Amino acid sequence: MGQRLEKTYTISDTPTTTYDYLDVTYELDIDAPDADQLTPPISWGSEVRCDDKLSIANTSGCVVPWTTPTLFVSRAEYGSSADMIEWAQQNLSGHWGLKGTGAPVHRLQNVKQRDANRQALCGSSKFTKDPAITNDTCDEFPFAATYESGALNGVDHGKDCAQVTAVRADTTGDNATDWPTITPVGPFTGEEKCVRGHIPGTLNSYLGSAYGNFIQSARLADNDGFWLRVTF
């Protein structure tokens, strides 16, 4: 009575050239000495997915694949790039990655397809930089490295996405502070399959790196889903 009982089990696996799936089941049976059985045994289970250099190059590891992780995107770090994601989640019908309203977005692992997606929406012949934006770059959402990319869903030119641009608020030298929000450029219907923005290069790049780090920490495989949540 009043004690906490703990037990740790270690499970190991040596994956080869494919994903390994380990079914783990548990049974808890509660009894008292010299007494009738208190409750029927309680059973539950889970599944573990392991791989070697399939999800992430040069690493091996395991995850619980039935969970859907969340990529947290900080306004304090990513400024207008984060605001563009939240704007799209709230104003476009796809609501990509918005838990409770939209569906998860899914990792696209194929590098050639990712680059083709980016060229389709942000290629040099399809995007004109705005000299008023600090190191202006073409930022898109959903990400080119997801199956929800506009380029995989009927869009072959970024002009057909909803258009936004970063708005300057200060001149501190910190781009997240200086360019914290976006505003739409021209009309939009809300049915666009993507948003494309004029975003300072560091914010665009830092958020791309954050997504890459998230893929590694969550060990996302091709077509694994995840949520996106914009925070302060």
Side-chain angles (χ1 to χ4, degrees):
M1 180 69 71
Q3 291 181 316
R4 178 173 176 169
L5 306 179
E6 297 183 2
K7 181 67 176 179
T8 299
Y9 295 91
T10 300
I11 301 171
S12 62
D13 180 55
T14 306
T16 54
T17 58
T18 60
Y19 287 98
D20 280 356
Y21 293 87
L22 308 180
D23 291 320
V24 183
T25 58
Y26 306 88
E27 183 176 285
L28 177 64
D29 191 5
I30 304 174
D31 295 290
D34 303 319
D36 293 335
Q37 187 178 41
L38 299 178
T39 63
I42 303 167
S43 299
W44 69 97
S46 65
E47 184 179 63
V48 178
R49 184 186 71 203
C50 301
D51 75 274
D52 182 19
K53 303 181 182 66
L54 295 178
S55 296
I56 309 298
N58 301 319
T59 70
S60 60
C62 302
V63 294
V64 179
W66 44 264
T67 62
T68 303
T70 299
L71 171 57
F72 293 94
V73 180
S74 166
R75 287 179 174 275
E77 292 183 69
Y78 310 117
S80 51
S81 194
D83 192 50
M84 186 180 79
I85 291 174
E86 188 167 55
W87 182 88
Q89 289 181 326
Q90 298 291 341
N91 291 281
L92 301 183
S93 60
H95 305 296
W96 305 283
L98 182 60
K99 193 172 184 178
T101 304
V105 290
H106 298 82
R107 181 196 179 189
L108 170 65
Q109 192 169 4
N110 186 296
V111 175
K112 289 184 178 180
Q113 184 62 67
R114 177 201 67 192
D115 292 343
N117 292 347
R118 185 169 291 116
Q119 284 298 313
L121 301 188
C122 287
S124 59
S125 65
K126 299 182 178 182
F127 179 78
T128 302
K129 293 187 176 185
D130 183 349
I133 306 291
T134 301
N135 186 26
D136 185 25
T137 59
C138 179
D139 199 0
E140 61 184 290
F141 183 73
F143 304 142
T146 65
Y147 280 94
E148 287 69 28
S149 168
L152 290 178
N153 292 277
V155 180
D156 60 9
H157 196 300
K159 66 180 177 57
D160 296 321
C161 301
Q163 306 295 310
V164 301
T165 188
V167 177
R168 182 186 282 278
D170 211 334
T171 56
T172 67
D174 175 70
N175 280 334
T177 300
D178 294 344
W179 302 90
T181 60
I182 58 88
T183 190
V185 177
F188 65 94
T189 67
E191 298 301 319
E192 288 85 358
K193 297 185 181 297
C194 46
V195 60
R196 186 178 75 166
H198 292 267
I199 303 294
T202 55
L203 301 180
N204 189 351
S205 176
Y206 290 165
L207 183 50
S209 295
Y211 176 44
N213 292 335
F214 172 73
I215 287 173
Q216 294 190 42
S217 64
R219 201 164 191 86
L220 294 183
D222 185 59
N223 207 32
D224 274 356
F226 62 96
W227 303 106
L228 289 112
R229 181 179 174 186
V230 176
T231 65
F232 290 97

